Amino acid sequence: MDQIARTTKDLGQTLRAARKAKGLTQAELAARAGIWQRTVSNIETSASGAKAETIFDLLAALDLELRIVPRSKMIQRDLEDIF
């Protein structure tokens, strides 16, 4: 699963897709990550304000990792989504 996440919305959608691909409910993922189900819901709808530690807990629970790579060139539509 290779996804580009440039915004908190992108990150939330990526985490939701990964959770669903593994057949997990928000409650099941929350239990694996040691967080509240409501926190999972908030992050999936827009990760704004989420602690980095919480994001890493979710990634670990989904058996995913974060990679930092140079940003690829954006197209006009991507810029419009950010602003």
Side-chain angles (χ1 to χ4, degrees):
M1 169 183 220
D2 285 346
Q3 296 289 323
I4 295 175
R6 291 190 172 115
T7 66
T8 55
K9 183 178 177 181
D10 293 342
L11 179 59
Q13 290 172 345
T14 299
L15 291 171
R16 174 181 280 157
R19 173 181 60 77
K20 287 185 174 189
K22 292 194 176 280
L24 297 171
T25 66
Q26 288 182 346
E28 291 167 334
L29 176 57
R32 286 183 180 197
I35 61 175
W36 298 100
Q37 177 274 327
R38 182 75 183 139
T39 302
V40 174
S41 177
N42 288 341
I43 290 170
E44 286 185 356
T45 56
S46 178
S48 183
K51 292 180 181 180
E53 181 179 357
T54 302
I55 299 297
F56 282 107
D57 289 343
L58 286 171
L59 290 170
L62 291 166
D63 198 29
L64 298 173
E65 63 187 5
L66 177 68
R67 291 179 186 225
I68 307 298
V69 297
R71 191 176 193 126
S72 59
K73 292 190 178 194
M74 297 177 67
I75 59 174
Q76 182 65 30
R77 185 180 56 86
D78 292 337
L79 287 174
E80 291 169 358
D81 289 344
I82 293 173
F83 300 102

